[in-house]
Amino acid sequence: MDVVKLDQALTLARQVADSVDILELGTPLIKSEGLRAITAIKAAHPDKLVFADLKTADAGELEAGLAFEAGADLVTVMGAADDDTVRGAVAAGRKYGKDVVADMITVVDDRVSRILEVSKFGVSFVEIHAGLDEQARPGYTIQALLDDGQKAGVPFSIAGGITVETIGSVRAAGARVAVAGGAIYNAKDPAAAAKALKSRAS
Ligand SMILES: O=C([C@H](O)CO)[C@H](O)[C@H](O)COP(=O)(O)O
């Protein structure tokens, strides 16, 4: 949910809840509304996994711990961060019994090697991710993300402009989680868009 107001996020979450397993709070939403957004979404949807896309770049244990205290079930730490930042976030995950995901956004050169390194630090999975700015460049496709997921051979999610046309290939590549943002929140009918994505992913 890359909306920036909590009320928008609560509305969106309610619209799509029947079709999603995880509610992910995008980084802009957390920056705009703070950790209270995590608490509010979890309170409204206690049956869903709440994923706080912190994209932590430093102080991994501290930041991940703050999000877990607020109610997050999963948080992201930057895969490009210092090894000890990733390890710190994983330590917080172990303390709270929750999951840490290494977001591989910005890791482009030799991404598979870094995926294999961070996987050894105990993250639950890696997110192979092309951010909104990378997606906006001409010629962008999701294929390079899928190829690296298959090459790495470790649990992974894909984020990078997944659509109803591409979500089947994400599943076929073996992804554990498909993260869909704009395909849902930019749709005229987010509930119908989420339902269509789910039907193509199952
Ligand atoms: O993580 C994301 C981005 O960096 C802004 O927070 C997006 O939520 C993620 O890329 C999924 O959104 P779409 O790419 O629009 O599907």
Side-chain angles (χ1 to χ4, degrees):
M1 297 189 287
D2 285 318
V3 292
V4 294
K5 293 290 175 201
L6 177 55
D7 60 344
Q8 296 171 314
L10 285 165
T11 300
L12 187 56
R14 185 168 29 78
Q15 289 172 317
V16 305
D18 285 349
S19 302
V20 304
D21 307 301
I22 299 172
L23 290 166
E24 181 184 326
L25 286 79
T27 319
L29 173 62
I30 297 170
K31 287 187 174 175
S32 170
E33 292 282 7
L35 298 172
R36 75 183 188 110
I38 300 170
T39 308
I41 296 287
K42 188 66 185 177
H45 298 278
D47 55 325
K48 300 290 175 195
L49 293 171
V50 170
F51 189 165
D53 187 14
L54 296 182
K55 294 192 182 73
T56 287
D58 192 17
E61 186 163 5
L62 175 63
E63 286 201 4
L66 288 170
F68 291 136
E69 279 289 335
D73 299 296
L74 304 103
V75 303
T76 51
V77 61
M78 292 283 282
D82 189 276
D83 291 354
D84 284 334
T85 304
V86 182
R87 289 193 188 100
V90 169
R94 291 200 174 120
K95 180 174 166 196
Y96 288 89
K98 302 289 184 182
D99 291 299
V100 173
V101 178
D103 187 337
M104 304 312 297
I105 191 169
T106 77
V107 181
V108 178
D109 294 335
D110 208 4
R111 181 163 49 200
V112 173
S113 298
R114 185 62 182 157
I115 287 171
L116 295 176
E117 279 173 2
V118 296
S119 295
K120 288 189 191 132
F121 301 149
V123 297
S124 299
F125 57 92
V126 296
E127 183 152 298
I128 309 179
H129 186 184
L132 302 178
D133 295 333
E134 183 180 345
Q135 292 174 39
R137 285 202 285 273
Y140 167 77
T141 79
I142 207 167
Q143 193 56 48
L145 309 181
L146 305 181
D147 292 345
D148 282 357
Q150 288 188 303
K151 276 182 218 155
V154 296
F156 69 95
S157 63
I158 294 288
I162 290 175
T163 64
V164 75
E165 285 80 27
T166 58
I167 196 165
S169 62
V170 172
R171 183 183 175 84
R176 177 178 286 195
V177 174
V179 181
I184 297 175
Y185 64 75
N186 286 331
K188 278 199 185 125
D189 182 345
K195 195 173 176 187
L197 284 158
K198 180 79 171 179
S199 73
R200 300 278 185 103
S202 311

